[in-house]
């Protein structure tokens, strides 16, 4: 675990000096801010109850595109520059290397996620201000928001593990990012029944795709304020399986 901790600190430090990481964080917060302001203005104008989970629902979709940007360099860049072979020649287990990089990326994602709490604070302030009769009167459902944050944190870990896997597949960061983005987009789309004619895919295939959908396991429970253990286990199992595959992939480099 000492080696994993060392790699974790190294990767997390790399994020805080990487311009790409800052650009990703900036883009995420700007897009979420625009979505938040538009929805808040609409709800205030129509005296509708606040919706604290809208920002997190938007964040879940954005991670389909931004998770690959956070992970595409983790193995691909080091393999291209030859530093990966140097690290593998050291007394470091492959699993320590994978875990250190994964938790480093997940920690940076957690920092970005924590910054989105400013939108919840703004909602709490607006919904508790009674000086203007035109403001929102309904109170924010903090329990629903907390459940949604737990879900999006696990969801983010799953997207990062997939991005990490494809970063280990190739030495080209662009290819790694494109592959992980394509897979995440397919996994995000849970209900393809309305997109694909019923004659093409059987009901069993459609239901199977729904079962492995990242989006369906989040929107059907966490976004509704429910912490369903089946969905928690799904994300944890997905992370474990993908990290195991990544470890085996990195291990195979020793025999090339």
């Amino acid at each position: 675990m000492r080696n994993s901790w060392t790699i974790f600190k190294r990767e997390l430090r790399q994020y805080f000096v990487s311009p790409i990481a800052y650009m990703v964080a900036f883009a995420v917060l700007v897009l979420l801010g625009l979505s938040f302001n538009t929805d808040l203005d609409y709800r205030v104008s129509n005296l509708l109850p606040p919706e604290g989970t809208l920002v997190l629902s938007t964040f879940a979709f954005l991670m389909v595109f931004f998770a690959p940007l956070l992970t595409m360099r983790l193995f691909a860049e080091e393999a291209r520059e030859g530093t990966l072979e140097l690290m593998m020649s050291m007394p470091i287990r492959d699993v320590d290397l994978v875990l250190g990089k994964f938790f480093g990326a997940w920690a940076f994602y957690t920092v970005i996620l924590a910054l989105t709490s400013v939108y919840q604070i703004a909602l709490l302030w607006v919904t508790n201000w009674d000086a203007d009769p035109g403001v929102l009167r309904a109170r924010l459902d903090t329990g629903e928001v907390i459940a949604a944050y737990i879900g999006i944190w696990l969801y983010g870990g799953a997207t990062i593990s997939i991005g990490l896997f494809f970063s280990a597949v190739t030495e080209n960061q662009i290819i790694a990012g494109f592959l992980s983005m394509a897979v995440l987009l397919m996994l995000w789309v849970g209900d393809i029944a309305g997109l694909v004619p019923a004659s093409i895919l059987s009901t069993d295939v459609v239901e199977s795709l729904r079962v492995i959908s990242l989006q369906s396991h989040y929107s059907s429970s966490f976004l509704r304020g429910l912490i369903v253990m089946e969905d928690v286990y799904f994300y944890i199992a997905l992370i474990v399986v993908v990290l195991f595959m990544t470890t085996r992939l990195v291990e195979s480099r020793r025999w090339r």
Side-chain angles (χ1 to χ4, degrees):
M1 293 302 295
R2 181 184 303 175
N3 290 332
S4 294
W5 176 246
T6 302
I7 296 171
F8 165 80
K9 292 188 294 182
R10 171 180 177 269
E11 294 301 329
L12 187 58
R13 185 166 52 248
Q14 285 291 329
Y15 277 112
F16 284 102
V17 298
S18 170
I20 295 180
Y22 280 103
M23 290 173 61
V24 169
F26 175 78
V28 168
L29 294 175
V30 167
L31 292 174
L32 291 181
L34 292 174
S35 174
F36 173 80
N37 288 334
T38 302
D39 180 72
L40 181 60
D41 181 66
Y42 173 78
R43 291 180 181 276
V44 169
S45 301
N46 295 275
L47 298 180
L48 295 174
E51 183 62 62
T53 60
L54 175 70
V55 168
L56 300 179
S57 176
T58 305
F59 193 15
F61 177 70
L62 292 179
M63 281 305 293
V64 171
F65 306 97
F66 288 118
L69 297 179
L70 290 176
T71 58
M72 63 184 186
R73 69 163 188 85
L74 291 176
F75 279 110
E77 182 180 44
E78 298 212 39
R80 180 177 59 83
E81 295 180 351
T83 55
L84 181 60
E85 285 72 15
L86 179 62
M87 293 179 65
M88 295 178 66
S89 65
M90 298 178 180
I92 300 176
R93 297 185 303 170
D94 297 324
V95 64
D96 292 334
L97 182 61
V98 172
L99 289 179
K101 287 180 174 293
F102 168 73
F103 283 113
W106 202 4
F108 185 76
Y109 165 81
T110 303
V111 172
I112 299 177
L113 182 60
L115 292 175
T116 65
S117 62
V118 67
Y119 304 119
Q120 310 303 332
I121 295 173
L123 275 182
L124 285 172
W125 180 75
V126 171
T127 55
N128 284 279
W129 183 40
D130 297 326
D132 188 341
V135 299
L136 299 175
R137 293 299 181 183
R139 294 294 183 260
L140 181 66
D141 188 344
T142 54
E144 183 181 61
V145 172
I146 292 174
Y149 266 96
I150 294 174
I152 195 67
W153 184 68
L154 293 171
Y155 172 96
T159 60
I160 288 171
S161 67
I162 293 172
L164 182 66
F165 171 80
F166 284 105
S167 180
V169 169
T170 176
E171 297 181 1
N172 190 306
Q173 295 186 52
I174 304 301
I175 295 177
F178 176 79
L179 290 175
S180 55
M181 195 176 298
V183 171
L184 286 173
L185 185 59
M186 288 188 294
L187 290 176
W188 186 85
V189 179
D191 187 4
I192 65 170
L195 302 176
V196 181
S199 58
I200 296 180
L201 293 179
S202 66
T203 304
D204 293 336
V205 173
V206 172
E207 289 301 322
S208 298
L209 291 175
R210 287 175 180 169
V211 169
I212 63 173
S213 167
L214 291 174
Q215 184 265 348
S216 63
H217 284 277
Y218 181 59
S219 61
S220 63
S221 56
F222 294 106
L223 274 181
R224 297 181 181 180
L226 304 173
I227 300 179
V228 180
M229 295 311 299
E230 177 183 349
D231 295 325
V232 173
Y233 295 149
F234 168 78
Y235 287 121
I236 294 176
L238 180 61
I239 291 172
V240 171
V241 170
V242 175
L243 290 183
F244 174 79
M245 294 169 56
T246 306
T247 303
R248 296 283 78 80
L249 190 61
V250 172
E251 188 180 61
S252 67
R253 289 180 175 272
R254 295 183 182 275
W255 308 102
R256 294 179 184 178

